[in-house]
Amino acid sequence: MPQEKSSKSATFAGLALAGAGVAHFVRPELFEGITRSAFPNDTARFLKINGGLETALGLGVALPQTRKLAVVGLLGYGGYLAVNAIRNR
C-alpha cells in the first residue's frame, strides 16, 4: 500500500507540474516576472521554452514508465534555471 500511495503522489505532482507548464501558454503574465529575472533577453521565447519543458517533464513524472528519466530531467532543468538566474543577477 505505501508504494501505491507514493505512485499516486508522484502522478499528482507530475500532473501539477504539467499544468504549470501549460499555464505558461495560457497565462504567460503569471510567469513573466520570474522568467525575466533568469532570461532578461528574449523573455517571451524562454517563457515558451520553459512552459514546454515543464509540460514534458511533468507528464514524464506522471507516468511510472518514464518517471526515473523525468526526475533526472528535472534535476537538469533545475540546474539550468539556477545557473541562468545567478548569471543574470
Side-chain angles (χ1 to χ4, degrees):
M1 188 80 127
Q3 187 172 353
E4 183 180 318
K5 185 177 181 181
S6 173
S7 180
K8 286 182 181 179
S9 297
T11 299
F12 177 78
L15 292 175
L17 179 59
V22 170
H24 280 69
F25 299 96
V26 178
R27 298 281 308 271
E29 66 275 6
L30 296 176
F31 303 93
E32 196 168 317
I34 194 164
T35 303
R36 183 175 287 117
S37 67
F39 304 97
N41 301 321
D42 207 359
T43 301
R45 177 174 161 245
F46 283 100
L47 192 76
K48 293 172 187 157
I49 290 170
N50 292 343
L53 287 170
E54 288 178 22
T55 302
L57 290 169
L59 292 174
V61 170
L63 298 170
Q65 302 90 333
T66 56
R67 188 166 292 147
K68 288 181 183 178
L69 181 59
V71 169
V72 172
L74 275 173
L75 293 173
Y77 178 62
Y80 155 79
L81 291 176
V83 166
N84 279 288
I86 292 167
R87 182 177 57 182
N88 292 304
R89 274 189 162 171

